[in-house]
Every structure is written in structure tokens, then in C-alpha cells.
Amino acid sequence: DAGITQSPRHKVTETGTPVTLRCHQTENHRYMYWYRQDPGHGLRLIHYSYGVKDTDKGEVSDGYSVSRSKTEDFLLTLESATSSQTSVYFCAISTRGAGTEAFFGQGTRLTVV
Amino acid sequence: SQQGEEDPQALSIQEGENATMNCSYKTSINNLQWYRQNSGRGLVHLILIRSNEREKHSGRLRVTLDTSKKSSSLLITASRAADTASYFCATDAGDSGGSNYKLTFGKGTLLTVNP
């Protein structure tokens, strides 16, 4: 497996609380992505980063923020978790973007109660 | 909205048969990729086909791309029970190395290969 680690792997949190998911890579890849996976929706892009401190929104970014202060870490924050954010979250990395494969982490299962 | 859409949503076949999955997309792309996901795991890259290629092979996998129809197909020949998984197409668009580059996925096809 590529050197990509997500933490935590499982989390249960209450509605209204802030939650931060961490993606850590040891590959020095430029691009990092956060996706959520839900039944019937496949994978949907939340936010992505194309370099340190360079991030942009994906298709389902509302309610989420990200930060990338160093190459190896990409943080996804739910400022005030809602039940609709219950999902499996995947981080992925790739080198230069187009024409290169993405490597995925093992996922974080988040339940908002 | 998601760029790729796979068809069918689910496919059940017997071991030894071939499995074909299709993907349609909406806008111009640089490349199209196929990924596999075993239950409860992350996605794993299978094969990439560039926009100027029409067909590509890798072992038992055959991928075609028709940019005029904005569609791709993944064929798995002589399927095995171990091929049971979800398969996703992913399209990348935007400038390579640029800020507008994105990799977006479809909803996937769940393939079940019965022994």
C-alpha cells in the first residue's frame, strides 16, 4: 500500500460538534483529495489540494473545510457535524494530477448521532 | 455533479464468464481511469486510458474509450470469484499540475462473481 494513513478509522460524534479527520502521506505527492462515499452516490469530491496551502472546493464542499500546512498532512474539518455527514470518508493522493493514478487510504467511518 | 456514471449498477455472473461495465461522462477529459474497491477497503487503481487512446489491455482487463460518445467500457475476461468487488470509473480534467485539475468518480458497478 502507498504510504497514506487516515485517522481516526472510526468515529462516533454528536450533532453540532466539530470533527477533524486527518490524512497523512509519506509519498511527497502534490495532490491530495477528500471524498465521501455514500450508498447510491459513489464517491463525491469534497475538497482537494494541489500544494501546501493551496486548496479548492469539490462538488459537495458545504459544511466542510480543509487545511494543508505541510505536504504530508491534509485535514478535513466538519465545523458543526450534522447527521447528513454520516459517511465513509476517503483520502487520496496523486503525484502530478492528470495521467497519474491516485492512491487511497483505508477510509474513516464517521457516524453523527 | 459527478462526471462519470457507470452502468449497470449491479452485475452478477458465473465464474469463467466475461463481465462488461460501462461508464459515461459529461465533459472533455484528459484521461479515464478504472478503480476497484473490495468491501470495506479503499480504492485500488486498475488501468488508465488517455484521451487519445481507443483501447488498452492489462492482463484480463480490456478498456475501451470513445471520446465522441463520451463513454468507456471495462471488460474482465474469464472472471473469478476474487473479482467480486465494486468498480468505478474516474475522469480527470483540468490542467495537469494546475489548480483546476480534479479527479472525479462515478457511482460504481457492483460485480458479483459466483463460484
Side-chain angles (χ1 to χ4, degrees), chain B residues 104-115:
Chain B
T104 56
F105 287 80
K107 297 179 181 180
T109 293
L110 176 60
L111 173 65
T112 303
V113 182
N114 302 297

Side-chain angles (χ1 to χ4, degrees), chain B residues 82-94:
Chain B
D83 294 328
T84 294
S86 291
Y87 293 82
F88 295 86
C89 69
T91 55
D92 69 47

Side-chain angles (χ1 to χ4, degrees), chain A residues 20 24 30 38 46 58 76 86 104 106:
Chain A
T20 296
H24 178 78
R30 178 179 180 184
D38 305 286
I46 305 172
L76 176 70
T86 292
F104 279 78
Q106 292 301 298

Side-chain angles (χ1 to χ4, degrees), chain B residues 50-112:
Chain B
R50 303 187 187 282
S51 59
N52 61 355
E53 297 178 310
R54 292 296 168 259
E55 187 171 313
K56 198 163 185 179
H57 297 256
S58 176
R60 294 185 296 113
L61 305 180
R62 172 178 169 255
V63 170
T64 62
L65 179 63
D66 187 334
T67 54
S68 66
K69 296 181 180 179
K70 291 187 170 59
S71 67
S72 174
S73 67
L74 171 67
L75 168 67
I76 304 174
T77 60
S79 63
R80 307 164 181 168
D83 294 328
T84 294
S86 291
Y87 293 82
F88 295 86
C89 69
T91 55
D92 69 47
D95 300 325
S96 179
S99 61
N100 64 342
Y101 172 78
K102 293 181 185 179
L103 183 65
T104 56
F105 287 80
K107 297 179 181 180
T109 293
L110 176 60
L111 173 65
T112 303

Side-chain angles (χ1 to χ4, degrees), chain A residues 30-31 33 35 37 40-45 48 50 57 59 90 96-102 104-106, chain B residues 1-2 30-31 33 35 37 41-43 45 48 50 88 92 95-103 105-107:
Chain A
R30 178 179 180 184
Y31 286 86
Y33 315 86
Y35 296 90
Q37 185 174 30
H41 292 279
L43 274 82
R44 292 180 290 177
L45 182 64
Y48 67 102
Y50 48 95
K57 298 178 180 180
E59 59 184 309
F90 286 98
R96 63 180 185 278
T100 60
E101 66 180 282
F104 279 78
Q106 292 301 298
Chain B
S1 62
Q2 286 168 286
N30 298 322
N31 310 279
Q33 306 181 35
Y35 287 78
Q37 183 184 35
R41 305 295 298 274
L43 279 71
H45 182 262
L48 179 150
R50 303 187 187 282
F88 295 86
D92 69 47
D95 300 325
S96 179
S99 61
N100 64 342
Y101 172 78
K102 293 181 185 179
L103 183 65
F105 287 80
K107 297 179 181 180

Side-chain angles (χ1 to χ4, degrees), chain A residues 8 11 13-14 17-21 76-81 110 112:
Chain A
K11 186 170 182 67
T13 192
E14 293 186 350
T17 61
V19 177
T20 296
L21 309 183
L76 176 70
T77 298
L78 290 66
E79 301 291 346
S80 178
L110 176 68
V112 184

Side-chain angles (χ1 to χ4, degrees), chain A residues 28-110:
Chain A
N28 201 34
H29 282 4
R30 178 179 180 184
Y31 286 86
M32 298 186 76
Y33 315 86
W34 277 108
Y35 296 90
R36 60 177 290 174
Q37 185 174 30
D38 305 286
H41 292 279
L43 274 82
R44 292 180 290 177
L45 182 64
I46 305 172
H47 281 279
Y48 67 102
S49 171
Y50 48 95
V52 173
K53 297 185 179 179
D54 293 323
T55 65
D56 205 348
K57 298 178 180 180
E59 59 184 309
V60 290
S61 59
D62 287 349
Y64 302 94
S65 63
V66 290
S67 67
R68 190 171 179 197
S69 59
K70 45 187 178 178
T71 300
E72 56 265 36
D73 288 326
F74 193 32
L75 304 180
L76 176 70
T77 298
L78 290 66
E79 301 291 346
S80 178
T82 68
S83 59
S84 65
Q85 293 175 312
T86 292
S87 186
V88 180
Y89 291 86
F90 286 98
C91 176
I93 61 175
S94 68
T95 52
R96 63 180 185 278
T100 60
E101 66 180 282
F103 299 93
F104 279 78
Q106 292 301 298
T108 294
R109 183 172 295 277
L110 176 68

